[in-house]
């Protein structure tokens, strides 16, 4: 699904498809894309699962919800079809898709979500996808998520009961790894205390935030390796966080790349 306009695009409802693209043209003073609704892309194994918002030099403002996911494997896709061939069931895990946002000014106050989704019945977790933001100026007061999502212990327990409700069956837990978030800003970034960038998972993913002038943040960055120790000794390692600008001001910001195994890497500076 593609929506293109030279006069601006405003979404207050639901836009959904295998791929969703909103495109507008304008200069830095033009209010090009405004999303207060929901934009959602659910792709197949081999293609799509992408959301793209591009405004040229104009503004992109989203206080709504944007998400992108795709089926994690051919096996999941086949096993997840119901008898009529149309409905996904709990056997299908979903990997995060791709979200790309470009504008002269980008203001994000809602949720941008390219996280994986676990499948309780199969014990599979979904890997995080990617979120890329390119802006002249960035204001972040919401959430950017590319988490790798393990199946919760509650889901696993519920799905592992036999038909008589007494004997648990053997499901292996395969958590998903964190994805990637890349923010490239020509000028300045301002992040409020409500902002969150999270690429945590079984192993943490990566966050790269580079600004040409200044980053001022009171928000939270997380690339945590969350996998609980398994029988074979496997644990989760922290990911990578890089926050770089000629002037970087962290005002009670939280930056976490810890792991249940090895810690990750954090770089702050110019």
């Amino acid at each position: 699904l593609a929506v293109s306009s030279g006069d601006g695009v405003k979404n207050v409802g639901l836009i959904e498809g295998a791929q969703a693209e909103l495109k507008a043209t304008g200069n830095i003073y033009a209010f090009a894309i405004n999303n207060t609704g929901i934009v959602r892309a659910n792709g197949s194994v081999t293609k799509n699962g992408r959301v793209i918002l591009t405004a040229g030099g104009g503004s992109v403002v989203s206080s709504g919800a944007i998400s992108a996911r795709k089926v994690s494997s051919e096996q999941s896709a086949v096993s997840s079809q119901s008898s009529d061939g149309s409905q996904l069931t709990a056997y299908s895990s979903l990997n995060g898709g791709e979200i790309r946002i470009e504008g002269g000014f980008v203001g994000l106050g809602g949720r941008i979500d390219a996280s994986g989704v676990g499948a309780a019945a199969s014990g599979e977790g979904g890997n995080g996808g990617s979120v890329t933001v390119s802006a002249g100026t960035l204001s972040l007061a919401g959430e950017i998520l590319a988490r790798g999502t393990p199946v919760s212990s509650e889901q696993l327990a519920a799905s592992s009961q036999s038909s008589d409700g007494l004997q648990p069956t053997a499901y292996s837990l395969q958590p998903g790894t964190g994805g990637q978030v890349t923010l490239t800003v020509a000028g300045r970034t301002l992040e409020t205390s409500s902002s969150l960038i999270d690429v945590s998972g079984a192993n943490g993913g990566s966050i790269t935030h580079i600004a040409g002038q200044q980053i001022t943040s009171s928000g939270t960055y997380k690339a945590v390796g969350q996998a609980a120790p398994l029988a074979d000794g496997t644990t989760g390692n922290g990911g990578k966080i890089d926050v770089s600008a000629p002037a970087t001001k962290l005002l009670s910001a939280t930056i976490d790349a810890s792991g249940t195994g090895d810690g990750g890497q954090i770089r702050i500076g110019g």
Side-chain angles (χ1 to χ4, degrees), residues 1-3 9 11 15 20-24 33 35 39 52-55:
L1 174 65
V3 178
V9 176
N11 175 48
I15 296 175
E21 181 174 3
L22 306 182
K23 184 177 182 180
I33 297 177
N35 174 54
V39 181
I52 302 172
L53 278 64
T54 57

Side-chain angles (χ1 to χ4, degrees), residues 143-156:
E143 300 178 346
I144 299 178
L145 311 176
R147 296 167 174 156
T149 307
V151 182
S152 72
S153 58
E154 292 80 6
Q155 286 178 309
L156 196 63

Side-chain angles (χ1 to χ4, degrees), residues 153-180:
S153 58
E154 292 80 6
Q155 286 178 309
L156 196 63
S159 68
S160 63
Q161 295 300 316
S162 64
S163 58
D164 61 9
L166 298 176
Q167 300 298 321
T169 56
Y171 287 90
S172 62
L173 179 60
Q174 301 174 8
T177 60
Q180 299 85 39

Side-chain angles (χ1 to χ4, degrees), residues 9-163:
V9 176
K10 183 175 183 178
N11 175 48
V12 297
L14 170 64
I15 296 175
E16 185 171 24
Q19 174 172 311
E21 181 174 3
L22 306 182
K23 184 177 182 180
T25 59
N27 58 49
I28 194 170
Y29 302 106
F31 193 64
I33 297 177
N34 182 18
N35 174 54
T36 60
I38 299 171
V39 181
R40 185 163 57 213
N42 294 310
S44 66
V45 177
T46 57
K47 64 179 181 179
N48 296 326
R50 295 195 301 171
V51 175
I52 302 172
L53 278 64
T54 57
S59 298
V60 178
V61 176
S62 179
S63 57
I66 298 172
S67 65
R69 295 185 175 92
K70 61 193 302 182
V71 178
S72 62
S73 67
E74 293 288 357
Q75 183 176 3
S76 291
V78 172
S79 67
S80 66
Q81 296 299 320
S82 66
S83 58
D84 64 4
S86 63
Q87 299 296 322
L88 291 176
T89 71
Y91 286 93
S92 176
S93 62
L94 300 175
N95 286 335
E98 175 190 355
I99 299 174
R100 179 160 55 91
I101 301 172
E102 299 177 3
F105 170 83
V106 175
L108 303 176
R111 171 173 287 191
I112 311 298
D113 194 352
S115 298
V117 177
S122 66
E124 294 180 342
N127 297 322
S130 66
V131 179
T132 303
V133 178
S134 300
T137 301
L138 174 63
S139 174
L140 178 61
E143 300 178 346
I144 299 178
L145 311 176
R147 296 167 174 156
T149 307
V151 182
S152 72
S153 58
E154 292 80 6
Q155 286 178 309
L156 196 63
S159 68
S160 63
Q161 295 300 316
S162 64
S163 58

